[in-house]
Amino acid sequence: FMKKILLSFVTLVLYISSFSTTALAANRLLDTSLVEENASRRIDIHFPELFYQPDFNLEVAKMIQKLVEDFRPLENINELPDFGPGSLNVSYKIPYRTKDFISVAFSVEEYVSGAAHSGHFTKTMNYDLKNKKILRLEDIFLPESGFLQEKS
């Protein structure tokens, strides 16, 4: 009788732990990088991917692709050998993350050959993992709250 109770308890614990393992795996973060280099440029991009979140990963990939597409026309503006190749560097931080939401801040640095200095800016993505969509200000604030007047 005790063996049956113990076996039932172990089975229950394993069953419950499988749910928490699946939940953790669904939110597991993978640090991914893309490096591309030739004589005129160096692209070094780091970005997050989440296991079992293909919609989030697709949105991140679209953002990265847009950054690269916007940079590529700039790379051949000044092909002056004395200034070296241009570069695009992207890193990220995750300031907020729960099982339902993730916020990613991408730090972008671009250098065009021949420029006096590089340019820096930050792009952010706030993503609702449960509803599989990027959060916009309109999704967070009520229309009558006047959020746009406060932020501008």
Side-chain angles (χ1 to χ4, degrees):
F1 181 73
M2 278 306 275
K3 280 186 176 182
K4 192 173 184 180
I5 291 175
L6 183 59
L7 182 61
S8 296
F9 179 73
V10 169
T11 303
L12 180 63
V13 168
L14 289 174
Y15 180 72
I16 292 171
S17 69
S18 71
F19 285 114
S20 60
T21 302
T22 303
L24 289 174
N27 229 355
R28 190 166 161 228
L29 185 72
L30 177 66
D31 182 36
T32 306
S33 63
L34 165 71
V35 177
E36 183 182 308
E37 190 168 3
N38 64 29
S40 65
R41 72 162 182 279
R42 175 170 171 74
I43 296 174
D44 186 1
I45 300 174
H46 295 267
F47 57 96
E49 288 185 294
L50 289 175
F51 284 91
Y52 305 109
Q53 292 290 341
D55 297 316
F56 169 78
N57 296 337
L58 179 62
E59 292 299 334
V60 170
K62 286 195 265 185
M63 180 182 283
I64 296 299
Q65 181 180 2
K66 176 89 170 95
L67 289 171
V68 172
E69 287 173 358
D70 290 348
F71 172 72
R72 285 208 166 118
L74 300 175
E75 68 185 347
N76 295 319
I77 289 176
N78 289 320
E79 289 189 352
L80 303 172
D82 296 338
F83 291 103
S87 62
L88 172 65
N89 298 303
V90 180
S91 60
Y92 71 93
K93 290 183 181 179
I94 299 178
Y96 182 78
R97 181 177 171 203
T98 67
K99 68 179 181 67
D100 293 329
F101 297 98
I102 186 168
S103 293
V104 185
F106 295 92
S107 178
V108 182
E109 177 188 17
E110 297 177 322
Y111 173 72
V112 178
S113 182
H117 53 81
S118 59
H120 302 264
F121 62 94
T122 301
K123 279 207 65 95
T124 58
M125 177 187 289
N126 298 300
Y127 194 83
D128 181 340
L129 296 165
K130 185 176 179 182
N131 295 306
K132 300 182 185 317
K133 69 176 197 166
I134 293 177
L135 293 174
R136 310 271 182 228
L137 288 176
E138 298 82 26
D139 299 323
I140 300 170
F141 295 99
L142 295 171
E144 61 276 356
S145 68
F147 73 90
L148 188 56
Q149 291 77 22
E150 289 292 322
K151 294 293 176 195
S152 53

